[in-house]
Amino acid sequence: MRTKTVTSRKKAVASAAALVAALALTLTACGSGDDSAKPVADVSAEPKTQAATVLDTPFKKPNLVLKDTKGESYDFREATKGKPTLIYFGYTNCPDVCPTTISNIAIARKSLPKADQDKLQVVFVTTDPERDTSAELGKWLASAGDPSFVGLTGDFPTIQAGARQLGIGIDAPKKEKDGTVVSMHGAQVIAFSPKTDGGYVLYGEDASSDDYAKDLPKLIKGETP
């Protein structure tokens, strides 16, 4: 199993529209299978000084209704309304980026006071729903991240549409001739403010557990990291 992920370097404040365009171009390049020819989607040539990209135009929460790890219906907008929330799209068979990202967030969450840990909502949406059943997501999140994390699965078109509302590109998993399955998906984590419910901060795959630990206290209050 191998995965191809999509990230980009951006200045501290960027527009959601610009990010959508840049990330879409990068995802298309990933499909070529030639990483050496993959363009770097830069919104700005300025060097990156922090893990967080604060958006000047926040994303609206996607209209995403799926099944959670208990097999029950989960309305993302309603369930996370007024709560500090992180959302990430990936899959359990990912060998590197997905488990690393989820682990980093879990480690950072544990550094928070118990009250803040309870406030934070972490939602993992599978990009491989055919194999990632509710039960499989529950087991994986408990081992790779934290049992409190919400895992969502459902039909792929619904998942893909929800990701697109956040400027995150994903393609349906494809099996290659050698039997391996390739899943192309954006590796961004979007943070939503408990004050506005807007997705106002974005993190790429290079964000570390220390980066999240530093920013989470502010994200929980709806402040800018």
Side-chain angles (χ1 to χ4, degrees):
M1 180 70 61
R2 58 193 177 90
T3 182
K4 296 184 180 180
T5 55
V6 184
T7 53
S8 58
R9 290 184 176 272
K10 296 161 286 291
K11 63 182 180 180
V13 178
S15 73
L19 288 173
V20 170
L23 294 172
L25 287 173
T26 309
L27 180 62
T28 299
C30 283
S32 68
D34 181 6
D35 289 344
S36 64
K38 186 188 304 180
V40 178
D42 283 334
V43 172
S44 170
E46 295 179 14
K48 183 178 179 182
T49 57
Q50 60 182 27
T53 297
V54 180
L55 305 178
D56 58 3
T57 304
F59 289 109
K60 293 182 179 180
K61 282 186 176 177
N63 181 19
L64 197 57
V65 180
L66 298 166
K67 298 292 184 181
D68 62 16
T69 55
K70 297 180 181 179
E72 299 176 353
S73 180
Y74 184 97
D75 185 324
F76 179 72
R77 282 183 179 173
E78 289 301 315
T80 63
K81 186 176 182 179
K83 301 177 181 179
T85 304
L86 303 181
I87 190 171
Y88 179 73
F89 292 79
Y91 67 117
T92 65
N93 285 285
C94 174
D96 39 43
V97 177
C98 299
T100 298
T101 299
I102 290 300
S103 175
N104 284 341
I105 294 173
I107 292 170
R109 178 182 177 276
K110 291 178 181 178
S111 70
L112 295 169
K114 183 62 168 59
D116 285 345
Q117 289 185 37
D118 294 339
K119 292 177 183 177
L120 181 66
Q121 307 294 300
V122 179
V123 179
F124 177 85
V125 184
T126 181
T127 59
D128 185 12
E130 184 175 339
R131 290 181 297 172
D132 285 347
T133 63
S134 293
E136 186 64 31
L137 283 172
K139 291 188 296 183
W140 185 81
L141 286 171
S143 60
D146 189 291
S148 71
F149 291 178
V150 176
L152 299 180
T153 188
D155 65 278
F156 184 81
T158 298
I159 293 170
Q160 186 178 52
R164 283 176 175 170
Q165 292 175 52
L166 297 173
I168 298 175
I170 62 174
D171 284 346
K174 297 179 180 179
K175 181 176 290 187
E176 299 192 333
K177 293 181 179 179
D178 62 0
T180 60
V181 177
V182 177
S183 178
M184 293 191 293
H185 62 87
Q188 297 78 34
V189 173
I190 306 292
F192 294 88
S193 167
K195 295 180 178 179
T196 66
D197 277 329
Y200 71 122
V201 180
L202 179 150
Y203 294 88
E205 68 174 85
D206 52 348
S208 67
S209 58
D210 287 341
D211 291 325
Y212 286 114
K214 176 175 66 69
D215 291 354
L216 283 180
K218 292 184 177 180
L219 295 178
I220 287 172
K221 298 177 182 178
E223 300 175 352
T224 299

